[in-house]
Every structure is written in C-alpha cells, then in structure tokens.
Amino acid sequence: MKTALVTGAARGIGRAAADALASAGLRVLRLDLNGEVAYDLTDIAGIAALVERIGDIDVLVNNAGVQNAVSIDKYTDAQRERIIKVNLEAPVELIRVISKGMVKRRSGRIVNVASIAAYTPHTDLWYGVTKAGVVSFTRSFATYLGPHGIQVNAVAPGPIDTPLLDKAQPERVDELMKRVFTRRKGRPEEVAEAIRWLALDAPPIINGAVLDVTDGSFIR
Ligand code: NAI
C-alpha cells in the first residue's frame, strides 16, 4: 500500500486532499499543528528527524500555508518569518529529505499547493512572494528529480472556500469573485481532485507543471 503525507491536513484544501487520497486506497498521514502527525512546520531543523520517524513516503502533498491579511507597512518580523518558513522553507526541506527515499526506489510523486498569487500582485506582499517561490521550487525540483522517476507538480488555486480565504483582505476577494465563471467560491474538494490526479494518475511526462484551478479568477 502506498503512503501519502499531506501537510496542513486538518481542514480546508489539505483535509479534502487527504480524504481524496484515502478514498483512492492510500495510507494517508495527516500532518498539522494538532492531530495525527502533530508538527509545527516553522521548525525547519526538525523536519529530517520527523521524516526519519515516519518512514517511506510515496506521495507528498505540500499544502500547509498561511496568509497574513496585512499590508506591507503593517507586517511584523514575526509574521514575515513565519510565512516564509511555512510556505517556502518547510516544503523545500520536506522535498529535499523525502525525495532521497523516492530516488532510491525510483518512484514518487510530489504535489505543491501554489496559488494565483504566484502570478498576480497581492495585497499580502509576502504571501505572493512565497507562492511565486512555490512555482519556482516546483520547477527546480522537477528538473533535479525527474530523471530519477519522480514527478513534481503544483496546483494554483483561485478563491477557495476555506478559513484562509475568510481571513483574506476583502478587497482582494471581492475583486476575484467578480471574475469567477461559476459565481461562487471553489470548493476544497475541487482542488483536491486536481491534487489527486497529479498525485496518482497524471502520466509520467507531466512534470514541473502548474495546474491552474482558478475558475477564471486569473487566466494566464
Ligand atoms: P486553511 O487555513 O484552511 O488550512 C491550512 C492548514 O495548514 C490548517 O489546518 C493549518 O493548521 C495548517 N498549518 C498552518 N500553519 C502550519 C504550521 N506551521 N505547521 C503545520 N500546519 C500548519 O487554508 P487553505 O485555504 O485550505 O489553504 C491550503 C493551501 O492552499 C495553502 O497553501 C494556501 O496558501 C493555498 N491556497 C488557498 C486558497 C484559498 O482561496 N483558500 C487559494 C490558493 C491557494
């Protein structure tokens, strides 16, 4: 049986992705601040030991993310440090460590959760920076790991109905909601379906790709 590790799996998109992978028959380890695999991803130095404890991972979903709904003038050092750690450094460290076993087995799939914030200006500047970073490290790791039989892809969701969006700056959400085709927020399960496909069914030649799940909120 394949094992998946999903970060930020207690709610929102991560929980839906974990449920989708479990329904597909995988053993799913749900990492979050509390719960099954309780871990605070701001502890970058502890990630290698965590992975050692967990064992082999066949599918890694780097979903955990935070957003600070504040403008750059109001950003505190603590907020900046936290968002860079959770959104950027932790997923990079997880891929670095977990991919070693994948390389040995010549198999593994990694899906990173980016955002349309990677492509657009954002009212939370550091959120946009970290999500652009997710697209960047997806491409870099696909290049390093693709020759070893590992697929590294990302999804870039638009506005999805989760607690994170509830806390986002209303002017940004209003702007996005003017553009979506369905006239509603996306559902976590809809993003989870894209994650499940990339994690299990996408053919081997799909690597280093970013699948936009935006409902027209941003089209590139
Ligand atoms: P959410 O806030 O509902 O869930 C995020 C989960 O990550 C929570 O369960 C939280 O406890 C966990 N988490 C946060 N910090 C953590 C830490 N230090 N250690 C361990 N776990 C931690 O958010 P949502 O909306 O489900 O977001 C999931 C991903 O999707 C994030 O990367 C977010 O940036 C991205 N995204 C969300 C969009 C939306 O509109 N909701 C749009 C585009 C991307």
Side-chain angles (χ1 to χ4, degrees):
M1 185 188 273
K2 282 188 185 169
T3 300
L5 176 66
V6 181
T7 69
R11 69 183 196 206
I13 295 169
R15 181 166 63 193
D19 290 348
L21 293 172
S23 297
L26 278 77
R27 171 178 163 248
V28 180
L29 303 174
R30 296 165 189 256
L31 185 154
D32 212 294
L33 291 169
N34 303 299
E36 201 175 65
V37 181
Y39 193 81
D40 184 340
L41 288 168
T42 58
D43 180 6
I44 309 299
I47 286 177
L50 171 79
V51 172
E52 178 83 14
R53 279 202 300 284
I54 289 176
D56 287 347
I57 300 293
D58 303 291
V59 169
L60 167 64
V61 179
N62 273 315
N63 163 80
V66 291
Q67 183 175 139
N68 299 302
V70 292
S71 65
I72 190 64
D73 288 329
K74 303 251 167 64
Y75 242 88
T76 65
D77 290 350
Q79 284 173 323
R80 189 190 66 245
E81 282 162 19
R82 186 174 187 82
I83 198 169
I84 291 173
K85 280 187 176 149
V86 177
N87 294 14
L88 212 43
E89 293 183 39
V92 168
E93 180 64 357
L94 280 163
I95 297 174
R96 192 187 70 78
V97 175
I98 289 173
S99 65
K100 291 184 194 302
M102 292 176 167
V103 166
K104 278 197 195 122
R105 298 189 301 281
R106 282 202 66 81
S107 124
R109 300 222 185 182
I110 297 165
V111 183
N112 303 311
V113 180
S115 165
I116 53 169
Y119 311 120
T120 61
H122 202 285
T123 41
D124 174 343
L125 181 138
W126 285 109
Y127 184 75
V129 169
T130 60
K131 291 300 176 179
V134 173
V135 171
S136 173
F137 74 65
T138 297
R139 292 174 175 153
S140 292
F141 274 121
T143 307
Y144 309 154
L145 300 172
H148 299 278
I150 298 157
Q151 283 164 265
V152 187
N153 293 296
V155 293
I160 308 299
D161 194 6
T162 72
L164 182 141
L165 193 67
D166 292 342
K167 282 189 298 180
Q169 287 129 310
E171 62 271 29
R172 175 166 173 92
V173 180
D174 292 347
E175 194 53 42
L176 295 174
M177 291 311 296
K178 276 186 210 150
R179 293 203 290 269
V180 293
F181 302 136
T182 60
R183 300 176 184 212
R184 61 166 174 82
K185 293 169 186 166
R187 301 186 186 103
E189 296 73 25
E190 292 174 306
V191 183
E193 181 55 22
I195 293 172
R196 187 204 58 74
W197 182 75
L198 287 171
L200 299 180
D201 293 334
I205 61 170
I206 295 184
N207 211 339
V210 183
L211 177 52
D212 294 352
V213 188
T214 70
D215 195 17
S217 54
F218 178 74
I219 294 181
R220 64 189 167 112

